[in-house]
Amino acid sequence: MATAELTAWTAPCTLLSRREVGPDAIIMELALPEPMTDVAPGVFAMLSPADGSGPEIPRPFSLYDLPAPDRATFLVQIMGRGTQALAAVSPGQEVLCTMPLGNGFTLPAPERPVVIVAGGVGCAPFLHYLRLRLQQGAGARTHMIYGARESSRLYDYQAFAALDGIDLRAATDDGSLGFHGNVIAALDAGLANGSLPRDADFLACGPAGLLHGFADYARKQDLQAWLSLETYMGCGFGVCNACPVETEPEGPLGAWPWARTCREGPVFPLTSIRF
Ligand SMILES: Cc1cc2nc3c(=O)[nH]c(=O)nc-3n(C[C@H](O)[C@H](O)[C@H](O)COP(=O)(O)OP(=O)(O)OC[C@H]3O[C@@H](n4cnc5c(N)ncnc54)[C@H](O)[C@@H]3O)c2cc1C
Ligand code: FES
């Protein structure tokens, strides 16, 4: 996990562009009030329409990409009131943004292999991560299994496929692209046939079912694993206690029975939480 304490800011940010990337998802590009450099991959923002048309509580979204130091993108799957209100913001209008929040992922040394397991919008923390791995010259030791129910829900798949030098594998439940089955089955197959390294950092993000399946599998296989959790949130910065996750008494966070996903997470070593 990244350890640097980040100073979050809140500001209205102009929506520069908005594009659809699947049946129920968009990418929103925001103009930032100040350039962001050295931001850890996997940090998140709390977002809401600046005109107050959304729910009172903003919603959390992983920082997806930084196309320029003063521009950030977010991949948003439209679920309920908060995301519908964000999707209704038009270019030129403003989104209220608080970021960067949370700890994010720490990149290992370039020689250490990494295996990423992502489902649907769970791909969002990893585009920036992969760009940093390429900058490290570690593309050949970076593997990603990106899964979804069907290929149309592999949101913005082309952006990942365009990262030259990364080993990207699709997995779809209906077999419409890549491995026919879920990401855990694809991971198991890759480890069994030796095309994925066992001695690696394993990182996962996605819906709760995927994360529980991954956590069980990683524990059984004794993999060194980290999870990026997507719990409900209230404030996003550690004061409302809406985002608890039970800690493992024997793990590094064990002094507290509960950790806050927004503050001590959203990225947790698997050994630190009861999940
Ligand atoms: C750290 C973090 C990063 C996230 N990053 C992204 C991202 O990059 N892109 C993205 O699309 N989403 C992301 N999410 C999830 C996103 O915040 C929720 O989908 C959003 O809050 C839903 O708000 P809503 O008002 O549209 O839906 P609600 O009206 O609040 O809920 C609609 C439906 O979605 C379900 N739901 C809502 N939130 C969650 C959740 N967190 N987990 C499981 N089910 C949920 C509800 O049970 C309900 O069925 C992230 C969450 C966290 C905590
Ligand atoms: S969301 Fe408020 S403490 Fe985590």
Side-chain angles (χ1 to χ4, degrees):
M1 292 180 293
T3 49
E5 192 62 26
L6 298 164
T7 310
W9 45 260
T10 300
C13 299
T14 302
L15 179 68
L16 297 173
S17 67
R18 173 193 179 288
R19 72 184 164 93
E20 289 179 13
V21 285
D24 58 352
I26 57 170
I27 289 180
M28 307 180 75
E29 182 182 19
L30 301 184
L32 303 179
E34 56 188 72
M36 277 188 30
T37 50
D38 289 339
V39 61
V43 298
F44 68 96
M46 298 297 284
L47 301 180
S48 59
D51 64 4
S53 56
E56 210 160 307
I57 299 173
R59 302 297 196 239
F61 298 93
S62 302
L63 172 66
Y64 184 55
D65 204 6
L66 284 166
D70 60 352
R71 285 187 287 148
T73 61
F74 297 91
L75 170 59
V76 176
Q77 183 182 19
I78 299 155
M79 301 283 290
R81 243 189 93 206
T83 47
Q84 281 162 12
L86 280 169
V89 177
S90 300
Q93 295 182 316
E94 289 177 328
V95 172
L96 194 62
C97 175
T98 302
M99 75 177 294
L101 297 167
N103 56 358
F105 291 101
T106 300
L107 264 70
E111 54 276 11
R112 173 86 176 159
V114 170
V115 178
I116 292 169
V117 176
V121 283
C123 71
F126 296 121
L127 189 61
H128 182 48
Y129 185 98
L130 292 170
R131 291 197 196 289
L132 295 176
R133 281 290 282 179
L134 284 173
Q135 280 172 25
Q136 279 187 318
R141 286 172 299 288
T142 307
H143 311 265
M144 177 170 176
I145 305 170
Y146 180 7
R149 260 184 290 156
E150 58 202 23
S151 58
S152 66
R153 288 168 199 274
L154 289 168
Y155 305 120
D156 209 21
Y157 186 77
Q158 287 317 316
F160 291 86
L163 297 174
D164 237 4
I166 302 284
D167 170 30
L168 175 67
R169 305 169 184 209
T172 47
D173 293 351
D174 68 354
S176 49
L177 191 70
F179 182 87
H180 191 166
N182 69 29
V183 284
I184 310 301
L187 173 63
D188 190 47
L191 289 172
N193 68 22
S195 63
L196 290 173
R198 185 169 288 275
D199 187 19
D201 285 4
F202 290 80
L203 319 178
C205 186
L210 180 155
L211 285 181
H212 284 288
F214 173 80
D216 288 348
Y217 181 82
R219 285 195 175 105
K220 280 188 196 126
Q221 297 283 327
D222 200 20
L223 304 177
Q224 194 162 348
W226 284 260
L227 309 182
S228 183
L229 300 187
E230 293 195 352
T231 56
Y232 289 101
M233 287 191 178
C235 65
F237 45 82
V239 298
C240 73
N241 287 323
C243 61
V245 56
E246 196 176 353
T247 58
E248 178 56 58
E250 305 303 321
L253 294 172
W256 315 315
W258 299 92
R260 295 159 300 180
T261 302
C262 68
R263 195 72 184 150
E264 285 77 50
V267 178
F268 292 96
L270 181 58
T271 51
S272 74
I273 50 173
R274 285 197 162 171
F275 183 83

